[in-house]
């Protein structure tokens, strides 16, 4: 029998953005950030920003938050090469010709 590892069960590598689904899992299942995710959040202003906003809203809605988001990095100081947060890039220009 082959056991497949799904994306959700694999901790996020440092070079990859946190998926919005991961944020939801953190809140709903009262999980903590992995070391890799914390490292990513220390370097990626984009993920840090949306997770901070998401966490604030979740906390206001009454969800207990088990994780601590590291301080937001200064934008533009350090770039993290990573794939887009919301799915693979689409090439609309190609289909228009
Ligand atoms: Zn990111």
């Amino acid at each position: 029998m082959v056991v497949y590892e799904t994306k959700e069960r694999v901790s996020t590598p440092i070079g990859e953005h946190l998926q919005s689904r991961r944020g939801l899992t953190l809140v709903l299942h009262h999980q903590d950030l992995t070391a890799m995710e914390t490292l990513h959040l220390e370097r990626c202003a984009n993920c840090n920003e949306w997770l901070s906003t998401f966490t604030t809203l979740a906390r206001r809605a009454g969800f207990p938050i088990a994780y601590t988001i590291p301080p937001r990095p200064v934008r533009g100081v350090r770039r993290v090469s990573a794939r887009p947060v919301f799915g693979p890039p689409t090439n609309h220009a190609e289909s228009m010709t």
Side-chain angles (χ1 to χ4, degrees), residues 5-6 8 11 14 17-18 20-21 23 28-29 32 35 38-39 42 45 53-54 62 64 66 70 73 77-78 87 93:
E5 275 191 312
T6 59
E8 294 93 294
S11 61
I14 191 163
H17 289 305
L18 265 74
S20 45
R21 177 182 270 200
L28 293 179
H29 301 284
D32 199 355
T38 303
L39 277 172
E42 284 172 358
T53 305
F54 182 79
V77 166
R78 198 167 184 175

Side-chain angles (χ1 to χ4, degrees), residues 12-19 37 40-41 43-48 50 80-85:
T12 309
I14 191 163
E16 284 190 31
H17 289 305
L18 265 74
Q19 303 292 311
E37 286 166 342
H40 182 85
L41 289 166
R43 290 165 170 76
C44 180
N46 283 336
C47 288
N48 198 308
W50 78 252
V80 177
S81 65
R83 293 186 302 191
V85 179

Side-chain angles (χ1 to χ4, degrees), residues 33-81:
L33 291 163
T34 65
M36 280 298 192
E37 286 166 342
T38 303
L39 277 172
H40 182 85
L41 289 166
E42 284 172 358
R43 290 165 170 76
C44 180
N46 283 336
C47 288
N48 198 308
E49 203 169 295
W50 78 252
L51 188 63
S52 297
T53 305
F54 182 79
T55 303
T56 303
L57 291 172
R59 197 176 273 136
R60 277 187 202 158
F63 289 99
I65 304 300
Y67 53 89
T68 306
I69 301 171
R72 190 176 306 179
V74 180
R75 275 184 186 274
V77 166
R78 198 167 184 175
R79 282 184 170 249
V80 177
S81 65

